[in-house]
Amino acid sequence: MAGNSTISIDGKDFPYPTLSGTTGPDVIDIRKFYGQTGLFTYDPGFTSTASCESGLTYIDGDAGVLLHRGYPIDQLAEKSSFMEVAYLLLNGELPVKDELDAFVTTITRHTMVHEQLATFYRGFRRDAHPMAILCGVVGALSAFYPDSTNVGDPQERTISMHRLIAKMPTIAAMAYKYSVGQPFVYPKNDLSYTANFLRMTFSVPAEEYEPDPIIVDAMDKIFILHADHEQNASTSTVRLAGSSGANPFACVAAGIATLWGPAHGGANEAALNMLREIGTPDRIPEYIARAKNKDDPFRLMGFGHRVYKNFDPRAKVLSKAASEVLDKLNISDPVLDTARELEQIALKDQYFVDRKLYPNVDFYSGVILSAIGFPTTMFTVLFALARTVGWVAQWNEMISDPEQKIGRPRQLYTGPTQRDYIPVETR
Ligand code: CMC
């Protein structure tokens, strides 16, 4: 507790406790505010409101800092693995070797999905967006694993978190396979989490598939960079859905639906489509002008962030990785040149400078994903696959919090006041 803050209303003072976290801004605890003043606070978009207490991820948007359980994202991306980061987010500490081995074994043993789940896919059109498929199939998991839906039981929660992390690559790869008309590929337990996912996505039964270590590394790094991001829209959705006691499969399906929006995870698909549409650097000024025109709804996709007002540390890692991966794979993609030029022009433009708009995680990830061979429609699916770790870790933290209550925001009502019903004949 850091003391009190006083809110003065019509000359009357109301003291409220000011709470301090381990770092970051203090918060004014206004839980008793309505009871004492009869007023609500108004904050659409939650720009000034802390919705929960959390010990998972810290962001300092002005300094471009992102920490998972205290560890900087660039160090994790450089030195860790996605499985280790998953363990860290779920358990709070980096694992010792035996703990990591046991965790990897557990996740590996949960990668298969019920055979009946495969029939779900055939209900979708072949051209269905894989995010639509992901949303539906993940939501359906609760019907397959009713033994892990008692959210009050910590052991059942752990099993369902492991199931979600383990099955997401299988479900995502199946969505891809269905869209290209190839047979589903079963998981293979002697491969790493990420190599296994790549094999289920890109191999065909007709020939053996050797995952390229350069691609496995790049994919793993992308998964690490997307693993968690504090109280963003999809994570807040998972928490809100979970606050009612809904099962974790349903909550994660709600998170997937939220992530799909172009202002959130859908931006990676939109960013690459935009870069391809721009095509050559000489067309950049036209798009910059459109982004600045208030009468045009167009925005530079992969640019701007609610929290980062300096730079997005994930974009920094990905910008470097994009060049490295393309170099190593000997691929020359004009889209990367367009992206670099667009970044340079935008960063010098007063409109973007004034509004502190920088490339975000979605700006460069698409260049790498495209080089690996993913169609743009799979980009947000890969984001969802990685973010599942953050979603379940945040969901579990919320359920374990003794102060947890069902989420129930208030509103500023602007509709009609009470009036009497008039029968249709006399209206
Ligand atoms: N292009 C052009 N102008 C922009 C952009 C952009 N990408 N982003 C923000 N602005 C302008 C906006 O028009 C507004 O201008 P003004 O003050 O003159 O009205 C100002 O900057 C502030 O924007 P805002 O919409 O109030 O900011 P926000 O915090 O509500 O939105 C955002 C953040 C990420 C939704 C927004 O920057 C955006 O739409 N970016 C493009 C989509 C995108 O890349 N999203 C991925 C976010 S990172 C990954 C993730 O979260 O999944």
Side-chain angles (χ1 to χ4, degrees), residues 263-265 267 294 299-300 302-306 351 355 360 362:
H264 193 7
K294 291 289 164 211
R299 285 187 168 198
L300 275 197
F303 248 80
H305 199 276
R306 168 62 62 80
Y351 173 95
R355 290 166 181 75
N360 60 48
D362 295 320

Side-chain angles (χ1 to χ4, degrees), residues 30 41 45 49 67 89 101 105 121 124 133 193 213 266 294 308 333 365 384:
I30 54 155
T41 56
T49 299
L67 310 176
L89 285 167
D101 290 348
T105 304
Y121 288 77
F124 288 96
I133 298 180
Y193 182 88
K294 291 289 164 211
Y308 295 118
D333 187 345
S365 62

Side-chain angles (χ1 to χ4, degrees), residues 226 264-273 362 365-366 369 376 379-380 383:
H226 288 83
H264 193 7
N268 57 9
E269 176 178 352
L272 197 83
N273 287 338
D362 295 320
S365 62
L369 296 176
T376 49
F379 290 4
T380 315
F383 193 155

